[in-house]
Amino acid sequence: MKAASTWVIACKEFKDTVRSFWLLVGSCLFVLTSLSVIYGVAALGGDFSFRPLPSVMNSLLMLDVFLIPLIAVLMAYDAFVGEKEQGTLLLLLTYPISRTALLVGKLLGQGFAFGLCLLIGSSVLPILSAVHLLPYDLTEVGKLTFALVISGWLLGLVFILISYAISLCASTKAQALAALLLIWLISVLLYDLGLLIFTIAFEGKITNELMNICLMINPSTLFRLLNHDLLEAQVLSQNVLLMGMYLCIWFVVFFLIDRWLLVRRTY
């Protein structure tokens, strides 16, 4: 019964994402980003020659770390507050379904839609390599793309859960969107900039342990460092696995926060 209810909600959320064109828009954004990076990097030298694969993947990573959290936030910011404004959330909670099943259903539906967007957009590089339009080894491209998709999907799920938390606390959709855009800006840009300033200002006084803690606090930084290490080592090193584990921990933490907020709130 609970599994069936969760599945119904997941299907509803996925269909809502399709109807709202977020699936189409998100896929197009990722495709355009991939094409822009591939041919933009090739044109940087003025002679339109394709650069080494690590350079292309690094450039793609720099854009994805901005785009992945943004699309996740825009997909999920109104997950609860939007339904509360429409009056459908109160009706939904009267049905014989637990609030945990409601949360899991929403996460499954929107998480699958986001993963599909990311997969479609990231498949451009392997497809062009497979048809010999790019001079890259298909196996190497496939491995790096797979790692980028999995880690990017996990980062997107974390930001979807962050969006749920804000959506549960906000009074209106406008408040939720404003708060989440601020969180997005801090996470993808201002945090690393502030950390750099802090490191330079207190040079020699910051221990490696404190610096590692600061890096692990931000999921976007974890995503960037994980893929940078993977590009450099070309293997699943201990650092890569450790950062992937930290991303999973952030996923669990925000899921538990969302569940606590949803169970505690009265509508």
Side-chain angles (χ1 to χ4, degrees):
M1 179 66 179
K2 186 180 294 187
S5 301
T6 302
W7 177 250
V8 169
I9 293 171
C11 291
K12 170 190 172 297
E13 291 297 328
F14 180 77
K15 291 176 182 177
D16 286 347
T17 304
V18 173
R19 281 195 294 267
S20 64
F21 291 102
W22 273 121
L23 182 60
L24 176 62
V25 171
S27 300
C28 289
L29 283 174
F30 281 121
V31 168
L32 290 174
T33 299
S34 298
L35 290 174
S36 300
V37 167
I38 293 168
Y39 293 104
V41 171
L44 283 178
D47 56 355
F48 202 78
S49 59
F50 292 108
R51 307 304 172 193
L53 182 58
S55 299
V56 176
M57 295 302 295
N58 262 319
S59 300
L60 184 60
L61 176 62
M62 290 298 100
L63 290 180
D64 277 354
V65 77
F66 284 88
L67 194 57
I68 286 172
L70 181 60
I71 292 180
V73 162
L74 294 176
M75 273 189 177
Y77 79 95
D78 62 343
F80 291 97
V81 70
E83 290 200 3
K84 185 179 72 173
E85 286 186 351
Q86 296 171 2
T88 55
L89 182 58
L90 184 61
L91 177 63
L92 190 59
L93 292 175
T94 62
Y95 293 154
I97 178 175
S98 70
R99 298 192 179 196
T100 302
L102 173 62
L103 175 62
V104 172
K106 283 183 172 291
L107 181 61
L108 285 175
Q110 293 186 330
F112 179 75
F114 177 81
L116 192 57
C117 289
L118 185 57
L119 182 62
I120 292 172
S122 301
S123 64
V124 171
L125 190 57
I127 290 174
L128 292 178
S129 299
V131 296
H132 305 294
L133 292 178
L134 294 175
Y136 302 128
D137 179 67
L138 182 58
T139 302
E140 187 179 0
V141 169
K143 289 191 296 185
L144 293 176
T145 302
F146 177 77
L148 184 64
V149 169
I150 295 299
S151 58
W153 182 58
L154 189 53
L155 177 65
L157 290 178
V158 170
F159 271 87
I160 286 175
L161 289 171
I162 293 173
S163 301
Y164 288 172
I166 300 300
S167 187
L168 285 165
C169 296
S171 301
T172 64
K173 290 193 291 185
Q175 288 180 0
L177 183 57
L180 285 166
L181 288 178
L182 179 60
I183 292 172
W184 167 77
L185 182 63
I186 292 173
S187 176
V188 301
L189 180 62
L190 298 182
Y191 184 85
D192 286 347
L193 182 60
L195 192 58
L196 177 62
I197 295 172
F198 179 75
T199 304
I200 295 174
F202 296 94
E203 186 177 2
K205 299 179 181 179
I206 302 176
T207 63
N208 290 334
E209 290 76 13
L210 178 59
M211 180 57 65
N212 288 334
I213 291 173
C214 292
L215 293 174
M216 297 305 109
I217 287 175
N218 185 10
S220 298
T221 304
L222 277 173
F223 167 75
R224 182 162 41 225
L225 291 175
L226 185 155
N227 284 279
H228 271 313
D229 282 7
L230 191 60
L231 282 172
E232 290 180 1
Q234 298 290 318
V235 292
L236 287 175
S237 64
Q238 185 177 358
N239 283 338
V240 169
L241 295 174
L242 191 61
M243 286 184 281
M245 183 188 71
Y246 283 136
L247 270 177
C248 293
I249 290 173
W250 275 121
F251 172 83
V252 173
V253 167
F254 283 114
F255 179 84
L256 294 176
I257 291 173
D258 291 343
R259 183 182 179 278
W260 181 82
L261 288 171
L262 186 58
V263 170
R264 291 277 181 170
R265 282 190 71 92
T266 57
Y267 295 95

